[in-house]
Amino acid sequence: KTTFARLFAKALNCLERSEEGEPCNECSSCKEIAHGNSLDVLEIDGASHRGIDEIRKINETVGFSSSSTYKIYIIDEVHMLSTNAFNALLKTLEEPPAHAKFIFATTEPHKIPITILSRCQRFDFRKIPLVRVAGRLREISDAEKLSISDRSLSLVARQGEGSMRDALSTLD
């Protein structure tokens, strides 16, 4: 979810994106986002920064943008925000500056207040089928010249439980 959020942020702020919207991965904006040091793409962990004070800081800075097209706030585990934090965030979501974008990532959308959800465009991700994960692991193994059986790759893929990132971590 957060990987997609970063890729989406990169596509929004890329200085040289293709006509299809693909980021170039070469411009200064793409490189800053990839390295996690963009001043205009801020990642916030909703589980550890769940209070109203953190959201007030967002509300205070949302009006400022430095060099990018958009100021993007990625809030991971957004469902963990407190009720007061959601209420404070709602004001900004009702009248956001044109240059501000919010990307919320969660595994539990049912815990997000409807007043917030009604102001969002929602994308639900599904688990990647086992055969696709195993196929990608095979491609990577072959490219790295690793000798590993299909059965072993299948076990690694199953351990990932539909997450390519988790399967790759297990393969490592």
Side-chain angles (χ1 to χ4, degrees), residues 124-166:
D124 291 318
F125 296 119
R126 293 183 297 271
K127 292 182 178 187
I128 302 170
L130 180 68
V131 69
R132 290 194 68 195
V133 174
R136 181 67 180 135
L137 294 177
R138 169 55 63 205
E139 290 173 10
I140 292 167
S141 298
D142 290 348
E144 295 294 324
K145 298 183 180 14
L146 298 175
S147 176
I148 186 167
S149 70
D150 287 339
R151 177 162 164 55
S152 295
L153 286 178
S154 180
L155 290 171
V156 171
R158 189 172 303 126
Q159 184 67 32
E161 297 180 338
S163 166
M164 186 65 74
R165 181 183 61 190
D166 291 349

Short mmCIF file of all heavy atoms in Angstrom, two decimals, residues 124-166:
data_model
loop_
_atom_site.label_atom_id
_atom_site.label_comp_id
_atom_site.label_asym_id
_atom_site.label_seq_id
_atom_site.Cartn_x
_atom_site.Cartn_y
_atom_site.Cartn_z
N ASP A 124 -9.15 -0.57 -3.57
CA ASP A 124 -8.94 -1.76 -2.75
C ASP A 124 -7.98 -2.69 -3.48
O ASP A 124 -8.18 -3.00 -4.66
CB ASP A 124 -10.26 -2.49 -2.50
CG ASP A 124 -11.18 -1.70 -1.59
OD1 ASP A 124 -10.69 -1.13 -0.60
OD2 ASP A 124 -12.40 -1.65 -1.86
N PHE A 125 -6.95 -3.13 -2.78
CA PHE A 125 -5.98 -4.06 -3.35
C PHE A 125 -6.32 -5.47 -2.94
O PHE A 125 -6.76 -5.71 -1.81
CB PHE A 125 -4.56 -3.72 -2.89
CG PHE A 125 -4.08 -2.37 -3.36
CD1 PHE A 125 -3.74 -1.40 -2.44
CD2 PHE A 125 -3.98 -2.07 -4.70
CE1 PHE A 125 -3.30 -0.15 -2.84
CE2 PHE A 125 -3.55 -0.83 -5.12
CZ PHE A 125 -3.20 0.13 -4.19
N ARG A 126 -6.09 -6.39 -3.85
CA ARG A 126 -6.29 -7.80 -3.56
C ARG A 126 -4.94 -8.48 -3.45
O ARG A 126 -3.94 -7.99 -3.97
CB ARG A 126 -7.11 -8.47 -4.67
CG ARG A 126 -8.54 -7.96 -4.75
CD ARG A 126 -9.33 -8.69 -5.82
NE ARG A 126 -8.79 -8.46 -7.14
CZ ARG A 126 -9.14 -7.47 -7.95
NH1 ARG A 126 -10.02 -6.60 -7.55
NH2 ARG A 126 -8.61 -7.34 -9.14
N LYS A 127 -4.94 -9.62 -2.81
CA LYS A 127 -3.71 -10.41 -2.72
C LYS A 127 -3.34 -10.89 -4.12
O LYS A 127 -4.21 -11.16 -4.95
CB LYS A 127 -3.91 -11.58 -1.78
CG LYS A 127 -4.07 -11.15 -0.33
CD LYS A 127 -4.20 -12.33 0.59
CE LYS A 127 -4.30 -11.83 2.02
NZ LYS A 127 -4.27 -12.91 2.98
N ILE A 128 -2.05 -11.00 -4.36
CA ILE A 128 -1.56 -11.47 -5.65
C ILE A 128 -1.68 -13.00 -5.66
O ILE A 128 -1.27 -13.66 -4.68
CB ILE A 128 -0.09 -11.04 -5.87
CG1 ILE A 128 0.01 -9.52 -5.79
CG2 ILE A 128 0.44 -11.56 -7.20
CD1 ILE A 128 1.43 -9.00 -5.74
N PRO A 129 -2.22 -13.58 -6.74
CA PRO A 129 -2.36 -15.05 -6.79
C PRO A 129 -1.00 -15.74 -6.64
O PRO A 129 0.03 -15.26 -7.13
CB PRO A 129 -2.94 -15.31 -8.18
CG PRO A 129 -3.58 -14.01 -8.58
CD PRO A 129 -2.78 -12.94 -7.93
N LEU A 130 -1.02 -16.87 -5.96
CA LEU A 130 0.18 -17.64 -5.67
C LEU A 130 1.01 -17.92 -6.92
O LEU A 130 2.24 -17.78 -6.91
CB LEU A 130 -0.21 -18.95 -4.98
CG LEU A 130 0.91 -19.90 -4.60
CD1 LEU A 130 1.75 -19.30 -3.50
CD2 LEU A 130 0.34 -21.23 -4.16
N VAL A 131 0.37 -18.27 -8.00
CA VAL A 131 1.09 -18.62 -9.23
C VAL A 131 1.85 -17.41 -9.80
O VAL A 131 2.95 -17.56 -10.32
CB VAL A 131 0.14 -19.26 -10.28
CG1 VAL A 131 -0.86 -18.25 -10.83
CG2 VAL A 131 0.93 -19.92 -11.40
N ARG A 132 1.28 -16.22 -9.67
CA ARG A 132 1.97 -15.01 -10.14
C ARG A 132 3.16 -14.66 -9.26
O ARG A 132 4.21 -14.25 -9.74
CB ARG A 132 1.00 -13.83 -10.22
CG ARG A 132 -0.01 -14.00 -11.36
CD ARG A 132 -0.75 -12.76 -11.67
NE ARG A 132 0.17 -11.77 -12.26
CZ ARG A 132 -0.13 -10.50 -12.38
NH1 ARG A 132 -1.29 -10.05 -11.97
NH2 ARG A 132 0.73 -9.66 -12.92
N VAL A 133 2.99 -14.82 -7.94
CA VAL A 133 4.10 -14.56 -7.03
C VAL A 133 5.24 -15.54 -7.31
O VAL A 133 6.40 -15.14 -7.45
CB VAL A 133 3.65 -14.65 -5.55
CG1 VAL A 133 4.84 -14.53 -4.61
CG2 VAL A 133 2.61 -13.59 -5.23
N ALA A 134 4.90 -16.82 -7.44
CA ALA A 134 5.92 -17.83 -7.71
C ALA A 134 6.60 -17.57 -9.05
O ALA A 134 7.82 -17.72 -9.18
CB ALA A 134 5.30 -19.23 -7.68
N GLY A 135 5.83 -17.15 -10.05
CA GLY A 135 6.41 -16.83 -11.36
C GLY A 135 7.40 -15.68 -11.28
O GLY A 135 8.48 -15.72 -11.90
N ARG A 136 7.06 -14.67 -10.54
CA ARG A 136 7.97 -13.52 -10.39
C ARG A 136 9.22 -13.92 -9.60
O ARG A 136 10.32 -13.50 -9.93
CB ARG A 136 7.24 -12.36 -9.70
CG ARG A 136 8.09 -11.13 -9.52
CD ARG A 136 8.43 -10.48 -10.85
NE ARG A 136 9.25 -9.31 -10.61
CZ ARG A 136 10.34 -8.99 -11.28
NH1 ARG A 136 10.72 -9.74 -12.29
NH2 ARG A 136 11.02 -7.92 -10.98
N LEU A 137 9.04 -14.74 -8.59
CA LEU A 137 10.18 -15.23 -7.82
C LEU A 137 11.11 -16.04 -8.72
O LEU A 137 12.34 -15.97 -8.59
CB LEU A 137 9.73 -16.06 -6.62
CG LEU A 137 8.96 -15.31 -5.52
CD1 LEU A 137 8.50 -16.29 -4.45
CD2 LEU A 137 9.77 -14.19 -4.93
N ARG A 138 10.52 -16.81 -9.65
CA ARG A 138 11.33 -17.59 -10.60
C ARG A 138 12.14 -16.64 -11.48
O ARG A 138 13.33 -16.85 -11.71
CB ARG A 138 10.43 -18.51 -11.44
CG ARG A 138 11.11 -19.19 -12.63
CD ARG A 138 12.36 -19.99 -12.31
NE ARG A 138 12.08 -21.10 -11.44
CZ ARG A 138 12.99 -21.66 -10.63
NH1 ARG A 138 14.23 -21.21 -10.59
NH2 ARG A 138 12.67 -22.66 -9.86
N GLU A 139 11.49 -15.59 -11.99
CA GLU A 139 12.20 -14.61 -12.83
C GLU A 139 13.38 -14.00 -12.09
O GLU A 139 14.48 -13.88 -12.64
CB GLU A 139 11.25 -13.49 -13.27
CG GLU A 139 10.18 -13.90 -14.26
CD GLU A 139 9.16 -12.79 -14.51
OE1 GLU A 139 9.39 -11.64 -14.05
OE2 GLU A 139 8.13 -13.07 -15.13
N ILE A 140 13.16 -13.62 -10.85
CA ILE A 140 14.21 -13.01 -10.05
C ILE A 140 15.33 -14.01 -9.76
O ILE A 140 16.52 -13.69 -9.89
CB ILE A 140 13.63 -12.42 -8.74
CG1 ILE A 140 12.72 -11.23 -9.07
CG2 ILE A 140 14.73 -12.03 -7.76
CD1 ILE A 140 11.86 -10.77 -7.93
N SER A 141 14.94 -15.22 -9.40
CA SER A 141 15.94 -16.26 -9.11
C SER A 141 16.80 -16.55 -10.34
O SER A 141 18.02 -16.69 -10.22
CB SER A 141 15.25 -17.55 -8.65
OG SER A 141 14.53 -17.33 -7.47
N ASP A 142 16.16 -16.65 -11.49
CA ASP A 142 16.91 -16.90 -12.73
C ASP A 142 17.85 -15.74 -13.05
O ASP A 142 19.01 -15.96 -13.42
CB ASP A 142 15.96 -17.16 -13.90
CG ASP A 142 15.22 -18.48 -13.79
OD1 ASP A 142 15.61 -19.31 -12.93
OD2 ASP A 142 14.25 -18.69 -14.55
N ALA A 143 17.37 -14.52 -12.90
CA ALA A 143 18.19 -13.34 -13.18
C ALA A 143 19.39 -13.26 -12.23
O ALA A 143 20.47 -12.82 -12.62
CB ALA A 143 17.36 -12.06 -13.07
N GLU A 144 19.20 -13.72 -10.99
CA GLU A 144 20.28 -13.71 -9.99
C GLU A 144 21.12 -14.99 -10.04
O GLU A 144 22.02 -15.17 -9.22
CB GLU A 144 19.69 -13.53 -8.59
CG GLU A 144 19.01 -12.20 -8.37
CD GLU A 144 19.98 -11.04 -8.41
OE1 GLU A 144 21.12 -11.18 -7.94
OE2 GLU A 144 19.59 -9.98 -8.93
N LYS A 145 20.75 -15.88 -10.99
CA LYS A 145 21.46 -17.16 -11.16
C LYS A 145 21.44 -18.00 -9.89
O LYS A 145 22.44 -18.61 -9.50
CB LYS A 145 22.89 -16.92 -11.65
CG LYS A 145 22.94 -16.24 -13.02
CD LYS A 145 24.34 -16.09 -13.52
CE LYS A 145 24.49 -15.43 -14.86
NZ LYS A 145 23.44 -14.73 -15.48
N LEU A 146 20.27 -18.02 -9.24
CA LEU A 146 20.07 -18.84 -8.05
C LEU A 146 19.52 -20.20 -8.46
O LEU A 146 18.64 -20.28 -9.31
CB LEU A 146 19.08 -18.19 -7.09
CG LEU A 146 19.46 -16.83 -6.52
CD1 LEU A 146 18.31 -16.29 -5.68
CD2 LEU A 146 20.72 -16.93 -5.68
N SER A 147 20.01 -21.23 -7.87
CA SER A 147 19.51 -22.57 -8.12
C SER A 147 18.49 -22.89 -7.03
O SER A 147 18.86 -23.11 -5.87
CB SER A 147 20.67 -23.57 -8.10
OG SER A 147 20.15 -24.88 -8.27
N ILE A 148 17.22 -22.89 -7.40
CA ILE A 148 16.15 -23.13 -6.43
C ILE A 148 15.01 -23.85 -7.14
O ILE A 148 14.65 -23.50 -8.27
CB ILE A 148 15.68 -21.80 -5.76
CG1 ILE A 148 14.68 -22.06 -4.65
CG2 ILE A 148 15.17 -20.82 -6.78
CD1 ILE A 148 14.41 -20.86 -3.76
N SER A 149 14.46 -24.86 -6.51
CA SER A 149 13.41 -25.67 -7.13
C SER A 149 12.08 -24.91 -7.18
O SER A 149 11.84 -23.99 -6.40
CB SER A 149 13.22 -26.98 -6.35
OG SER A 149 12.62 -26.71 -5.10
N ASP A 150 11.24 -25.32 -8.10
CA ASP A 150 9.90 -24.73 -8.20
C ASP A 150 9.10 -24.97 -6.92
O ASP A 150 8.34 -24.11 -6.49
CB ASP A 150 9.15 -25.30 -9.41
CG ASP A 150 9.68 -24.78 -10.73
OD1 ASP A 150 10.34 -23.72 -10.73
OD2 ASP A 150 9.43 -25.42 -11.77
N ARG A 151 9.30 -26.14 -6.32
CA ARG A 151 8.60 -26.44 -5.07
C ARG A 151 9.03 -25.45 -3.98
O ARG A 151 8.19 -24.95 -3.23
CB ARG A 151 8.89 -27.88 -4.65
CG ARG A 151 8.26 -28.27 -3.33
CD ARG A 151 8.20 -29.77 -3.16
NE ARG A 151 7.96 -30.26 -1.83
CZ ARG A 151 6.96 -29.95 -1.02
NH1 ARG A 151 6.07 -29.07 -1.41
NH2 ARG A 151 6.83 -30.49 0.16
N SER A 152 10.30 -25.18 -3.89
CA SER A 152 10.80 -24.24 -2.89
C SER A 152 10.24 -22.84 -3.14
O SER A 152 9.84 -22.15 -2.21
CB SER A 152 12.33 -24.19 -2.90
OG SER A 152 12.86 -25.43 -2.51
N LEU A 153 10.22 -22.43 -4.41
CA LEU A 153 9.65 -21.11 -4.74
C LEU A 153 8.18 -21.04 -4.39
O LEU A 153 7.68 -20.01 -3.93
CB LEU A 153 9.88 -20.78 -6.21
CG LEU A 153 11.31 -20.41 -6.59
CD1 LEU A 153 11.40 -20.15 -8.09
CD2 LEU A 153 11.80 -19.20 -5.81
N SER A 154 7.49 -22.16 -4.60
CA SER A 154 6.07 -22.21 -4.26
C SER A 154 5.87 -22.04 -2.75
O SER A 154 4.96 -21.34 -2.30
CB SER A 154 5.47 -23.53 -4.73
OG SER A 154 4.09 -23.59 -4.42
N LEU A 155 6.75 -22.66 -1.97
CA LEU A 155 6.67 -22.52 -0.51
C LEU A 155 6.96 -21.09 -0.08
O LEU A 155 6.30 -20.54 0.80
CB LEU A 155 7.64 -23.49 0.17
CG LEU A 155 7.27 -24.97 0.09
CD1 LEU A 155 8.42 -25.84 0.61
CD2 LEU A 155 6.00 -25.26 0.87
N VAL A 156 7.95 -20.47 -0.71
CA VAL A 156 8.28 -19.07 -0.41
C VAL A 156 7.10 -18.17 -0.79
O VAL A 156 6.72 -17.28 -0.02
CB VAL A 156 9.56 -18.63 -1.15
CG1 VAL A 156 9.78 -17.13 -1.03
CG2 VAL A 156 10.78 -19.39 -0.62
N ALA A 157 6.51 -18.41 -1.95
CA ALA A 157 5.36 -17.62 -2.40
C ALA A 157 4.19 -17.79 -1.43
O ALA A 157 3.52 -16.81 -1.08
CB ALA A 157 4.95 -18.05 -3.81
N ARG A 158 3.96 -19.00 -0.98
CA ARG A 158 2.86 -19.25 -0.04
C ARG A 158 3.11 -18.51 1.28
O ARG A 158 2.19 -17.96 1.87
CB ARG A 158 2.72 -20.76 0.21
CG ARG A 158 1.48 -21.07 1.01
CD ARG A 158 1.19 -22.56 1.12
NE ARG A 158 1.06 -23.16 -0.19
CZ ARG A 158 1.76 -24.23 -0.59
NH1 ARG A 158 2.63 -24.80 0.21
NH2 ARG A 158 1.59 -24.72 -1.78
N GLN A 159 4.37 -18.47 1.71
CA GLN A 159 4.72 -17.76 2.95
C GLN A 159 4.39 -16.26 2.84
O GLN A 159 4.05 -15.62 3.82
CB GLN A 159 6.22 -17.95 3.25
CG GLN A 159 6.67 -17.35 4.54
CD GLN A 159 6.08 -18.04 5.75
OE1 GLN A 159 5.82 -19.24 5.74
NE2 GLN A 159 5.87 -17.29 6.82
N GLY A 160 4.47 -15.71 1.62
CA GLY A 160 4.15 -14.30 1.40
C GLY A 160 2.68 -13.97 1.53
O GLY A 160 2.30 -12.81 1.63
N GLU A 161 1.83 -14.97 1.51
CA GLU A 161 0.38 -14.80 1.68
C GLU A 161 -0.21 -13.73 0.77
O GLU A 161 -1.00 -12.89 1.19
CB GLU A 161 0.03 -14.50 3.14
CG GLU A 161 0.40 -15.62 4.08
CD GLU A 161 0.07 -15.33 5.53
OE1 GLU A 161 -0.06 -14.13 5.89
OE2 GLU A 161 -0.07 -16.28 6.29
N GLY A 162 0.21 -13.73 -0.49
CA GLY A 162 -0.36 -12.79 -1.46
C GLY A 162 0.35 -11.46 -1.53
O GLY A 162 -0.04 -10.58 -2.29
N SER A 163 1.41 -11.28 -0.75
CA SER A 163 2.18 -10.04 -0.76
C SER A 163 3.52 -10.29 -1.44
O SER A 163 4.32 -11.10 -0.96
CB SER A 163 2.42 -9.55 0.67
OG SER A 163 3.43 -8.55 0.70
N MET A 164 3.77 -9.59 -2.55
CA MET A 164 5.03 -9.76 -3.25
C MET A 164 6.19 -9.31 -2.37
O MET A 164 7.24 -9.96 -2.33
CB MET A 164 5.02 -8.98 -4.57
CG MET A 164 6.22 -9.22 -5.43
SD MET A 164 6.35 -10.92 -6.04
CE MET A 164 5.07 -10.92 -7.28
N ARG A 165 6.01 -8.23 -1.65
CA ARG A 165 7.09 -7.72 -0.79
C ARG A 165 7.46 -8.75 0.26
O ARG A 165 8.63 -9.02 0.51
CB ARG A 165 6.68 -6.41 -0.13
CG ARG A 165 7.78 -5.82 0.76
CD ARG A 165 7.34 -4.58 1.46
NE ARG A 165 6.20 -4.88 2.33
CZ ARG A 165 5.47 -3.97 2.93
NH1 ARG A 165 5.73 -2.70 2.77
NH2 ARG A 165 4.47 -4.31 3.70
N ASP A 166 6.46 -9.36 0.89
CA ASP A 166 6.75 -10.36 1.93
C ASP A 166 7.40 -11.60 1.32
O ASP A 166 8.31 -12.19 1.94
CB ASP A 166 5.46 -10.74 2.68
CG ASP A 166 4.93 -9.60 3.53
OD1 ASP A 166 5.66 -8.59 3.71
OD2 ASP A 166 3.78 -9.71 4.01
#
